[in-house]
Short mmCIF file of all heavy atoms in Angstrom, two decimals:
data_model
loop_
_atom_site.label_atom_id
_atom_site.label_comp_id
_atom_site.label_asym_id
_atom_site.label_seq_id
_atom_site.Cartn_x
_atom_site.Cartn_y
_atom_site.Cartn_z
N LEU A 1 5.74 34.14 -49.40
CA LEU A 1 6.45 32.87 -49.64
C LEU A 1 5.46 31.73 -49.87
O LEU A 1 5.66 30.88 -50.73
CB LEU A 1 7.36 32.56 -48.44
CG LEU A 1 8.45 31.54 -48.72
CD1 LEU A 1 9.36 31.98 -49.85
CD2 LEU A 1 9.27 31.28 -47.46
N SER A 2 4.36 31.75 -49.11
CA SER A 2 3.36 30.69 -49.27
C SER A 2 2.74 30.77 -50.67
O SER A 2 2.44 29.76 -51.30
CB SER A 2 2.28 30.79 -48.20
OG SER A 2 1.73 32.08 -48.20
N GLN A 3 2.59 32.01 -51.17
CA GLN A 3 2.05 32.20 -52.53
C GLN A 3 3.01 31.62 -53.57
O GLN A 3 2.58 30.96 -54.52
CB GLN A 3 1.85 33.70 -52.77
CG GLN A 3 1.08 34.01 -54.04
CD GLN A 3 1.07 35.51 -54.35
OE1 GLN A 3 1.57 36.32 -53.57
NE2 GLN A 3 0.52 35.87 -55.48
N LEU A 4 4.31 31.85 -53.37
CA LEU A 4 5.31 31.32 -54.29
C LEU A 4 5.30 29.79 -54.27
O LEU A 4 5.31 29.14 -55.31
CB LEU A 4 6.70 31.84 -53.92
CG LEU A 4 7.88 31.31 -54.74
CD1 LEU A 4 7.77 31.75 -56.20
CD2 LEU A 4 9.20 31.76 -54.16
N ILE A 5 5.25 29.22 -53.05
CA ILE A 5 5.24 27.75 -52.92
C ILE A 5 3.98 27.18 -53.57
O ILE A 5 4.02 26.16 -54.25
CB ILE A 5 5.38 27.34 -51.43
CG1 ILE A 5 6.80 27.67 -50.96
CG2 ILE A 5 5.07 25.86 -51.23
CD1 ILE A 5 7.02 27.62 -49.47
N HIS A 6 2.85 27.88 -53.40
CA HIS A 6 1.59 27.45 -54.02
C HIS A 6 1.72 27.46 -55.55
O HIS A 6 1.28 26.53 -56.24
CB HIS A 6 0.46 28.38 -53.58
CG HIS A 6 -0.86 28.06 -54.21
ND1 HIS A 6 -1.52 26.86 -54.02
CD2 HIS A 6 -1.65 28.78 -55.06
CE1 HIS A 6 -2.64 26.86 -54.72
NE2 HIS A 6 -2.75 28.01 -55.36
N THR A 7 2.37 28.51 -56.09
CA THR A 7 2.58 28.59 -57.55
C THR A 7 3.44 27.43 -58.04
O THR A 7 3.13 26.80 -59.06
CB THR A 7 3.26 29.94 -57.92
OG1 THR A 7 2.43 31.01 -57.45
CG2 THR A 7 3.45 30.06 -59.42
N ILE A 8 4.51 27.14 -57.30
CA ILE A 8 5.38 26.03 -57.68
C ILE A 8 4.59 24.71 -57.68
O ILE A 8 4.72 23.89 -58.60
CB ILE A 8 6.61 25.94 -56.73
CG1 ILE A 8 7.49 27.19 -56.88
CG2 ILE A 8 7.44 24.68 -57.02
CD1 ILE A 8 8.53 27.38 -55.78
N GLU A 9 3.74 24.55 -56.66
CA GLU A 9 2.93 23.31 -56.58
C GLU A 9 1.93 23.21 -57.74
O GLU A 9 1.70 22.13 -58.29
CB GLU A 9 2.21 23.24 -55.23
CG GLU A 9 3.17 22.82 -54.11
CD GLU A 9 2.63 23.08 -52.72
OE1 GLU A 9 1.50 23.63 -52.60
OE2 GLU A 9 3.34 22.75 -51.74
N LEU A 10 1.37 24.37 -58.13
CA LEU A 10 0.44 24.38 -59.28
C LEU A 10 1.16 24.01 -60.57
O LEU A 10 0.64 23.25 -61.39
CB LEU A 10 -0.19 25.77 -59.44
CG LEU A 10 -1.42 26.10 -58.60
CD1 LEU A 10 -1.88 27.51 -58.91
CD2 LEU A 10 -2.55 25.11 -58.86
N VAL A 11 2.36 24.58 -60.75
CA VAL A 11 3.16 24.27 -61.95
C VAL A 11 3.48 22.77 -61.96
O VAL A 11 3.39 22.11 -62.99
CB VAL A 11 4.46 25.12 -61.99
CG1 VAL A 11 5.40 24.62 -63.07
CG2 VAL A 11 4.12 26.59 -62.23
N LYS A 12 3.83 22.24 -60.81
CA LYS A 12 4.17 20.81 -60.68
C LYS A 12 2.96 19.94 -61.04
O LYS A 12 3.08 18.94 -61.76
CB LYS A 12 4.63 20.53 -59.25
CG LYS A 12 5.14 19.11 -59.01
CD LYS A 12 5.62 18.96 -57.58
CE LYS A 12 6.02 17.54 -57.26
NZ LYS A 12 7.27 17.13 -57.90
N GLU A 13 1.80 20.36 -60.57
CA GLU A 13 0.58 19.59 -60.78
C GLU A 13 0.12 19.63 -62.24
O GLU A 13 -0.32 18.63 -62.80
CB GLU A 13 -0.49 20.21 -59.87
CG GLU A 13 -1.77 19.46 -59.72
CD GLU A 13 -2.75 20.27 -58.86
OE1 GLU A 13 -2.38 20.66 -57.73
OE2 GLU A 13 -3.86 20.54 -59.36
N ARG A 14 0.26 20.80 -62.88
CA ARG A 14 -0.38 21.00 -64.19
C ARG A 14 0.57 21.06 -65.37
O ARG A 14 0.16 20.81 -66.51
CB ARG A 14 -1.21 22.29 -64.17
CG ARG A 14 -2.30 22.25 -63.13
CD ARG A 14 -3.10 23.52 -63.09
NE ARG A 14 -4.03 23.50 -61.96
CZ ARG A 14 -4.84 24.48 -61.65
NH1 ARG A 14 -4.85 25.58 -62.38
NH2 ARG A 14 -5.66 24.40 -60.62
N LEU A 15 1.84 21.45 -65.13
CA LEU A 15 2.71 21.75 -66.26
C LEU A 15 4.04 21.01 -66.25
O LEU A 15 4.50 20.53 -67.27
CB LEU A 15 2.99 23.27 -66.31
CG LEU A 15 1.78 24.18 -66.56
CD1 LEU A 15 2.12 25.62 -66.22
CD2 LEU A 15 1.29 24.06 -67.99
N ASN A 16 4.68 20.96 -65.08
CA ASN A 16 6.02 20.35 -65.01
C ASN A 16 6.10 19.47 -63.76
O ASN A 16 6.50 19.91 -62.69
CB ASN A 16 7.10 21.45 -64.95
CG ASN A 16 8.50 20.88 -64.82
OD1 ASN A 16 8.71 19.66 -64.89
ND2 ASN A 16 9.48 21.74 -64.63
N PRO A 17 5.73 18.17 -63.91
CA PRO A 17 5.69 17.28 -62.74
C PRO A 17 7.04 17.06 -62.08
O PRO A 17 7.11 16.57 -60.95
CB PRO A 17 5.14 15.96 -63.32
CG PRO A 17 5.31 16.07 -64.80
CD PRO A 17 5.29 17.51 -65.15
N ASP A 18 8.13 17.43 -62.77
CA ASP A 18 9.47 17.18 -62.23
C ASP A 18 10.03 18.31 -61.37
O ASP A 18 11.07 18.17 -60.74
CB ASP A 18 10.46 16.91 -63.38
CG ASP A 18 10.04 15.68 -64.19
OD1 ASP A 18 9.50 14.74 -63.59
OD2 ASP A 18 10.24 15.68 -65.42
N ILE A 19 9.35 19.47 -61.35
CA ILE A 19 9.91 20.62 -60.63
C ILE A 19 9.87 20.37 -59.11
O ILE A 19 8.90 19.83 -58.59
CB ILE A 19 9.16 21.94 -60.99
CG1 ILE A 19 9.89 23.18 -60.48
CG2 ILE A 19 7.73 21.94 -60.47
CD1 ILE A 19 10.87 23.75 -61.42
N GLU A 20 10.94 20.73 -58.44
CA GLU A 20 11.02 20.61 -56.97
C GLU A 20 11.56 21.92 -56.42
O GLU A 20 12.17 22.71 -57.14
CB GLU A 20 12.01 19.50 -56.57
CG GLU A 20 11.67 18.10 -57.09
CD GLU A 20 10.47 17.48 -56.40
OE1 GLU A 20 10.05 18.02 -55.35
OE2 GLU A 20 9.95 16.48 -56.91
N ILE A 21 11.38 22.12 -55.12
CA ILE A 21 12.01 23.28 -54.48
C ILE A 21 13.44 22.90 -54.13
O ILE A 21 13.68 21.94 -53.40
CB ILE A 21 11.22 23.75 -53.25
CG1 ILE A 21 9.86 24.29 -53.71
CG2 ILE A 21 12.00 24.84 -52.50
CD1 ILE A 21 8.99 24.85 -52.61
N GLU A 22 14.38 23.61 -54.72
CA GLU A 22 15.81 23.39 -54.48
C GLU A 22 16.13 23.70 -53.01
O GLU A 22 16.81 22.95 -52.33
CB GLU A 22 16.60 24.34 -55.39
CG GLU A 22 18.07 24.47 -55.10
CD GLU A 22 18.90 23.41 -55.79
OE1 GLU A 22 18.44 22.82 -56.78
OE2 GLU A 22 20.00 23.15 -55.31
N GLY A 23 15.62 24.83 -52.57
CA GLY A 23 15.86 25.23 -51.19
C GLY A 23 15.74 26.73 -51.04
O GLY A 23 15.56 27.47 -52.01
N VAL A 24 15.83 27.14 -49.80
CA VAL A 24 15.73 28.56 -49.44
C VAL A 24 17.11 29.03 -49.02
O VAL A 24 17.82 28.33 -48.29
CB VAL A 24 14.73 28.73 -48.28
CG1 VAL A 24 14.81 30.12 -47.68
CG2 VAL A 24 13.31 28.43 -48.76
N VAL A 25 17.51 30.20 -49.51
CA VAL A 25 18.80 30.77 -49.07
C VAL A 25 18.53 32.16 -48.47
O VAL A 25 17.82 32.98 -49.05
CB VAL A 25 19.84 30.81 -50.21
CG1 VAL A 25 19.36 31.66 -51.39
CG2 VAL A 25 21.18 31.32 -49.71
N PHE A 26 19.07 32.38 -47.28
CA PHE A 26 18.91 33.68 -46.63
C PHE A 26 19.93 34.67 -47.17
O PHE A 26 21.11 34.35 -47.30
CB PHE A 26 19.10 33.54 -45.11
CG PHE A 26 17.99 32.79 -44.44
CD1 PHE A 26 18.18 31.49 -44.00
CD2 PHE A 26 16.75 33.38 -44.26
CE1 PHE A 26 17.15 30.79 -43.38
CE2 PHE A 26 15.71 32.69 -43.65
CZ PHE A 26 15.91 31.40 -43.21
N THR A 27 19.44 35.88 -47.47
CA THR A 27 20.32 36.93 -48.00
C THR A 27 20.25 38.15 -47.09
O THR A 27 19.34 38.28 -46.27
CB THR A 27 19.88 37.35 -49.42
OG1 THR A 27 18.56 37.89 -49.35
CG2 THR A 27 19.89 36.17 -50.38
N MET A 28 21.22 39.05 -47.28
CA MET A 28 21.25 40.33 -46.55
C MET A 28 21.20 40.12 -45.04
O MET A 28 20.51 40.83 -44.31
CB MET A 28 20.10 41.24 -47.01
CG MET A 28 20.13 41.46 -48.51
SD MET A 28 18.82 42.56 -49.04
CE MET A 28 18.70 42.12 -50.77
N TYR A 29 21.91 39.13 -44.57
CA TYR A 29 21.95 38.82 -43.14
C TYR A 29 22.87 39.80 -42.43
O TYR A 29 24.01 40.01 -42.84
CB TYR A 29 22.45 37.38 -42.94
CG TYR A 29 22.49 36.93 -41.51
CD1 TYR A 29 21.34 36.44 -40.89
CD2 TYR A 29 23.67 37.00 -40.76
CE1 TYR A 29 21.37 36.02 -39.57
CE2 TYR A 29 23.70 36.59 -39.43
CZ TYR A 29 22.54 36.09 -38.84
OH TYR A 29 22.57 35.68 -37.54
N ASP A 30 22.36 40.38 -41.38
CA ASP A 30 23.17 41.32 -40.59
C ASP A 30 23.36 40.74 -39.20
O ASP A 30 22.44 40.72 -38.38
CB ASP A 30 22.45 42.68 -40.51
CG ASP A 30 23.35 43.76 -39.90
OD1 ASP A 30 24.32 43.40 -39.20
OD2 ASP A 30 23.07 44.95 -40.11
N ALA A 31 24.56 40.26 -38.94
CA ALA A 31 24.86 39.59 -37.67
C ALA A 31 24.70 40.52 -36.47
O ALA A 31 24.58 40.06 -35.34
CB ALA A 31 26.27 39.02 -37.72
N ARG A 32 24.68 41.83 -36.72
CA ARG A 32 24.60 42.78 -35.61
C ARG A 32 23.18 42.96 -35.10
O ARG A 32 22.96 43.56 -34.06
CB ARG A 32 25.15 44.15 -36.04
CG ARG A 32 26.63 44.12 -36.41
CD ARG A 32 27.02 45.40 -37.12
NE ARG A 32 26.19 45.62 -38.31
CZ ARG A 32 26.27 46.68 -39.09
NH1 ARG A 32 27.14 47.63 -38.82
NH2 ARG A 32 25.49 46.81 -40.15
N THR A 33 22.19 42.44 -35.85
CA THR A 33 20.81 42.66 -35.42
C THR A 33 20.17 41.35 -34.95
O THR A 33 20.39 40.29 -35.54
CB THR A 33 19.95 43.23 -36.58
OG1 THR A 33 19.86 42.23 -37.60
CG2 THR A 33 20.55 44.49 -37.15
N ASN A 34 19.37 41.48 -33.91
CA ASN A 34 18.61 40.31 -33.46
C ASN A 34 17.57 39.90 -34.49
O ASN A 34 17.22 38.74 -34.60
CB ASN A 34 17.88 40.62 -32.13
CG ASN A 34 18.86 40.64 -30.98
OD1 ASN A 34 19.88 39.96 -31.01
ND2 ASN A 34 18.55 41.44 -29.96
N LEU A 35 17.10 40.90 -35.25
CA LEU A 35 16.03 40.62 -36.22
C LEU A 35 16.45 39.56 -37.23
O LEU A 35 15.70 38.63 -37.51
CB LEU A 35 15.63 41.92 -36.94
CG LEU A 35 14.54 41.74 -38.01
CD1 LEU A 35 13.24 41.27 -37.39
CD2 LEU A 35 14.30 43.04 -38.76
N SER A 36 17.67 39.70 -37.78
CA SER A 36 18.14 38.73 -38.77
C SER A 36 18.08 37.31 -38.20
O SER A 36 17.62 36.38 -38.85
CB SER A 36 19.57 39.05 -39.20
OG SER A 36 19.58 40.09 -40.15
N LEU A 37 18.54 37.17 -36.97
CA LEU A 37 18.55 35.86 -36.32
C LEU A 37 17.13 35.35 -36.12
O LEU A 37 16.83 34.17 -36.37
CB LEU A 37 19.27 35.98 -34.97
CG LEU A 37 19.67 34.68 -34.28
CD1 LEU A 37 20.60 33.86 -35.16
CD2 LEU A 37 20.35 34.99 -32.95
N GLN A 38 16.23 36.24 -35.70
CA GLN A 38 14.84 35.84 -35.47
C GLN A 38 14.17 35.40 -36.77
O GLN A 38 13.40 34.44 -36.79
CB GLN A 38 14.06 37.03 -34.87
CG GLN A 38 14.35 37.27 -33.40
CD GLN A 38 13.85 38.65 -32.94
OE1 GLN A 38 13.20 39.37 -33.70
NE2 GLN A 38 14.18 39.00 -31.71
N VAL A 39 14.46 36.11 -37.86
CA VAL A 39 13.88 35.75 -39.16
C VAL A 39 14.33 34.34 -39.57
O VAL A 39 13.51 33.51 -39.98
CB VAL A 39 14.27 36.78 -40.25
CG1 VAL A 39 13.89 36.27 -41.63
CG2 VAL A 39 13.59 38.12 -39.99
N VAL A 40 15.61 34.07 -39.41
CA VAL A 40 16.13 32.76 -39.77
C VAL A 40 15.43 31.67 -38.94
O VAL A 40 14.96 30.66 -39.48
CB VAL A 40 17.67 32.70 -39.56
CG1 VAL A 40 18.19 31.27 -39.69
CG2 VAL A 40 18.38 33.60 -40.57
N GLU A 41 15.33 31.90 -37.63
CA GLU A 41 14.68 30.90 -36.75
C GLU A 41 13.21 30.73 -37.12
O GLU A 41 12.69 29.62 -37.17
CB GLU A 41 14.81 31.33 -35.28
CG GLU A 41 16.23 31.30 -34.74
CD GLU A 41 16.94 29.97 -35.00
OE1 GLU A 41 16.32 28.91 -34.78
OE2 GLU A 41 18.11 29.98 -35.45
N ASN A 42 12.55 31.86 -37.39
CA ASN A 42 11.12 31.85 -37.72
C ASN A 42 10.86 31.04 -39.00
O ASN A 42 9.95 30.22 -39.07
CB ASN A 42 10.65 33.30 -37.90
CG ASN A 42 9.15 33.40 -38.06
OD1 ASN A 42 8.42 32.45 -37.77
ND2 ASN A 42 8.68 34.53 -38.54
N VAL A 43 11.67 31.28 -40.02
CA VAL A 43 11.49 30.57 -41.29
C VAL A 43 11.77 29.08 -41.10
O VAL A 43 11.03 28.23 -41.60
CB VAL A 43 12.39 31.18 -42.40
CG1 VAL A 43 12.33 30.33 -43.66
CG2 VAL A 43 11.96 32.61 -42.72
N LYS A 44 12.82 28.77 -40.34
CA LYS A 44 13.13 27.35 -40.10
C LYS A 44 11.98 26.63 -39.40
O LYS A 44 11.67 25.48 -39.70
CB LYS A 44 14.41 27.23 -39.27
CG LYS A 44 15.68 27.46 -40.08
CD LYS A 44 16.93 27.33 -39.22
CE LYS A 44 18.18 27.49 -40.09
NZ LYS A 44 19.40 27.55 -39.28
N GLU A 45 11.34 27.32 -38.47
CA GLU A 45 10.23 26.72 -37.72
C GLU A 45 8.99 26.54 -38.60
O GLU A 45 8.25 25.58 -38.45
CB GLU A 45 9.85 27.61 -36.53
CG GLU A 45 10.77 27.46 -35.33
CD GLU A 45 10.56 28.58 -34.31
OE1 GLU A 45 9.45 29.17 -34.29
OE2 GLU A 45 11.52 28.88 -33.57
N ASN A 46 8.77 27.49 -39.50
CA ASN A 46 7.50 27.52 -40.24
C ASN A 46 7.56 26.93 -41.64
O ASN A 46 6.55 26.79 -42.30
CB ASN A 46 6.99 28.96 -40.34
CG ASN A 46 6.51 29.47 -39.01
OD1 ASN A 46 5.47 29.07 -38.52
ND2 ASN A 46 7.29 30.34 -38.40
N LEU A 47 8.75 26.62 -42.07
CA LEU A 47 8.90 26.20 -43.47
C LEU A 47 9.45 24.79 -43.54
O LEU A 47 10.54 24.51 -43.08
CB LEU A 47 9.86 27.17 -44.17
CG LEU A 47 9.73 27.28 -45.69
CD1 LEU A 47 8.34 27.76 -46.06
CD2 LEU A 47 10.78 28.22 -46.22
N ASN A 48 8.66 23.94 -44.13
CA ASN A 48 9.09 22.54 -44.26
C ASN A 48 9.84 22.37 -45.59
O ASN A 48 9.40 21.68 -46.48
CB ASN A 48 7.86 21.63 -44.20
CG ASN A 48 8.25 20.17 -44.17
OD1 ASN A 48 9.36 19.84 -43.76
ND2 ASN A 48 7.36 19.32 -44.63
#
């Protein structure tokens, strides 16, 4: 994900100054597993 964000920032800097990150959407969420919940919390904590 950090690589993708870095690519977007490079494109913004060099090619398309108007591009922004729309947002992140979580997919394939399984309410029955603790892992899904942990991933969501982890990304929220680490991703501005």
Side-chain angles (χ1 to χ4, degrees):
L1 198 59
S2 54
Q3 190 188 355
L4 177 64
I5 290 167
H6 178 62
T7 302
I8 295 166
E9 283 165 358
L10 276 180
V11 169
K12 186 178 175 71
E13 190 184 306
R14 299 179 187 179
L15 297 165
N16 178 7
D18 299 326
I19 192 90
E20 300 288 347
I21 294 183
E22 168 86 21
V24 168
V25 60
F26 290 106
T27 62
M28 304 182 201
Y29 182 83
D30 190 339
R32 297 167 303 177
T33 65
N34 286 331
L35 178 63
S36 281
L37 194 59
Q38 284 165 5
V39 169
V40 170
E41 293 309 315
N42 188 15
V43 173
K44 283 180 177 173
E45 280 167 24
N46 289 288
L47 204 61
N48 186 24

